[in-house]
């Protein structure tokens, strides 16, 4: 009986040691999973800034825009600097967000769309011992946010409000990332994870319109500041080396 208990104890100790090795300083991991981005969006009213090259400051009252939620696949890669401190890089396939009108523009529904890029670098602190299967963490980091393929897709809005063909550009910006989550180890190498992040971020959408007027075509420039402030959740599966 004592021999059996000794063998069982030795096996258990070996398993603990192996699990610990997978979450200790110097170990590296990768994950893949599903991001859900839920913007807590709002915007300033649409404002004309230039008509025919002449600076103006004309605000259209009770106009605005909001951003829809989106889902995308992505991956992360991380490195245990110590048994508790991890550096992690996050990247997702750029999701396409729908831009919808609010206020007087709500009647038009979807106004346009854009793809968002927001790779992030995080520094995370893992709680509990390295051999623990369940390990919660908190993190903070920074993300570079920019948009591509911005376009107006609603012809009725383009003609009734902007009065002509319109192109759109957006600003890029840096944003802080506040993060929390946990991982659960199934084996020495395989684990699953869940995290939630918040990014306070905004962008200025600039519209350039070839407006059709009684005196001919005039270049009209307008803009609006859109606050996205997304809450991002990630459900993932990963492998530790």
């Amino acid at each position: 009986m004592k021999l059996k208990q000794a063998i069982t104890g030795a096996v258990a100790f070996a398993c603990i040691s192996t699990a610990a090795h997978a979450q200790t300083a110097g170990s590296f991991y990768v994950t893949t999973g599903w991001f859900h981005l839920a913007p807590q969006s709002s915007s300033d009213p649409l404002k004309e800034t230039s008509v025919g090259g002449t600076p103006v400051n004309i605000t259209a009252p009770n106009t605005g825009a909001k951003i829809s939620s989106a889902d995308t696949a992505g991956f992360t890669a991380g490195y245990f600097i110590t048994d508790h401190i991890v550096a992690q890089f996050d990247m997702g396939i750029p999701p396409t967000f729908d831009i919808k009108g609010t206020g007087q523009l709500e009647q038009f529904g979807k106004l346009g769309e854009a793809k968002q890029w927001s790779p992030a670098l995080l520094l995370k602190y893992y709680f509990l011992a390295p051999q623990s299967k369940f390990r919660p963490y908190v993190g903070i980091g920074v993300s570079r946010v920019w948009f591509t393929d911005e376009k107006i897709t609603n012809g009725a809005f383009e003609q009734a409000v902007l009065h002509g063909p319109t192109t759109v550009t957006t600003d890029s910006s840096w944003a802080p990332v506040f993060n929390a989550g946990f991982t659960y180890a199934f084996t020495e190498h395989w684990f699953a994870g869940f995290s939630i992040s918040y990014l306070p971020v905004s962008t200025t959408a600039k519209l350039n319109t070839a407006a059709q007027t009684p005196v001919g075509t005039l270049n009209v420039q307008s803009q609006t500041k859109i606050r996205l402030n997304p809450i991002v959740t990630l459900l993932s599966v990963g492998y530790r080396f």
Side-chain angles (χ1 to χ4, degrees):
M1 179 62 71
K2 290 183 178 180
L3 178 60
K4 182 178 179 181
Q5 290 176 341
I7 293 173
T8 302
V11 171
F13 178 78
C15 291
I16 291 174
S17 298
T18 302
H21 177 71
Q23 302 184 75
T24 53
S27 59
F28 174 78
Y29 64 85
V30 293
T31 78
T32 185
W34 199 251
F35 287 95
H36 176 71
L37 298 91
Q40 313 300 298
S41 59
S42 63
S43 78
D44 292 344
L46 185 65
K47 179 173 67 176
E48 288 186 357
T49 58
S50 173
V51 176
T54 301
V56 298
N57 187 18
I58 304 172
T59 299
N62 194 28
T63 59
K66 62 181 180 180
I67 311 298
S68 68
S69 297
D71 294 276
T72 190
F75 72 91
T76 73
Y79 177 77
F80 276 83
I81 301 171
T82 72
D83 290 352
H84 296 278
I85 298 175
V86 171
Q88 178 175 298
F89 176 75
D90 294 2
M91 183 69 188
I93 298 172
T96 298
F97 287 97
D98 291 339
I99 305 167
K100 300 179 179 180
T102 61
Q104 293 186 28
L105 303 182
E106 186 173 2
Q107 60 181 309
F108 295 102
K110 177 182 174 180
L111 307 179
E113 61 187 30
K115 289 184 178 180
Q116 178 189 312
W117 301 72
S118 52
L121 184 62
L122 301 173
L123 196 64
K124 306 196 297 183
Y125 183 86
Y126 277 74
F127 299 95
L128 304 181
Q131 65 267 26
S132 301
K133 288 183 175 293
F134 174 78
R135 296 195 74 184
Y137 60 80
V138 293
I140 190 169
V142 64
S143 176
R144 181 65 173 174
V145 182
W146 73 94
F147 297 85
T148 59
D149 299 331
E150 310 100 314
K151 57 186 175 182
I152 302 295
T153 59
N154 189 311
F157 163 73
E158 195 171 46
Q159 292 302 318
V161 178
L162 303 176
H163 306 296
T166 300
T167 58
V168 184
T169 59
T170 52
D171 292 338
S172 58
S173 62
W174 292 96
V177 182
F178 304 98
N179 174 256
F182 65 86
T183 60
Y184 184 85
F186 297 111
T187 69
E188 175 190 354
H189 297 290
W190 290 99
F191 66 96
F194 174 80
S195 73
I196 183 167
S197 302
Y198 176 67
L199 289 76
V201 62
S202 62
T203 185
T204 298
K206 299 177 180 179
L207 289 69
N208 195 341
T209 303
Q212 308 303 311
T213 73
V215 297
T217 301
L218 291 177
N219 177 261
V220 176
Q221 296 178 359
S222 51
Q223 65 181 40
T224 181
K225 182 177 181 179
I226 303 176
R227 290 166 287 276
L228 288 83
N229 300 340
I231 295 174
V232 183
T233 54
L234 170 63
L235 184 62
S236 61
V237 61
Y239 185 87
R240 293 189 184 95
F241 296 90

